[in-house]
Amino acid sequence: HPPHSPLTSDEIKVQEEENKLWYYLDQNHEQVGPVSVVALRELWNRGKLELSQYVWSEGMEQWKKVDELPELKAALNRVV
């Protein structure tokens, strides 16, 4: 059988997620970005990014709330 890949497809998705650049709307609805997921996580941990805020990343058709993006939420809640 094929050699075991060191990364599962989930982990690869996570890696891609980590490398993506994001834009977000701050509390004043000002567009901020591009920022990395690491920067978003920082904001999230400090309570500066909320589930109701809109974010956008390359490949998305439109701005979405953090709450509508399970993969982003998982990335934000990942303890690094």
Side-chain angles (χ1 to χ4, degrees), residues 35-80:
V35 297
S36 66
V37 158
V38 177
L40 285 183
R41 188 183 293 136
E42 187 102 327
L43 292 162
W44 175 256
N45 289 336
R46 297 212 313 261
K48 302 262 188 225
L49 180 68
E50 300 179 9
L51 290 175
S52 58
Q53 277 171 260
Y54 284 90
V55 294
W56 181 85
S57 182
E58 196 73 48
M60 283 169 54
E61 281 172 28
Q62 65 209 28
W63 290 78
K64 286 195 167 180
K65 290 181 182 172
V66 174
D67 202 29
E68 297 174 280
L69 298 165
E71 280 167 21
L72 177 60
K73 275 203 296 201
L76 292 174
N77 288 306
R78 185 170 309 108
V79 178
V80 262

Side-chain angles (χ1 to χ4, degrees), residues 11-24:
E11 285 171 323
I12 289 168
K13 273 222 297 266
V14 164
Q15 291 279 291
E16 285 173 358
E17 205 64 31
E18 296 276 334
N19 294 334
K20 255 191 208 168
L21 289 175
W22 292 85
Y23 294 82
Y24 69 94

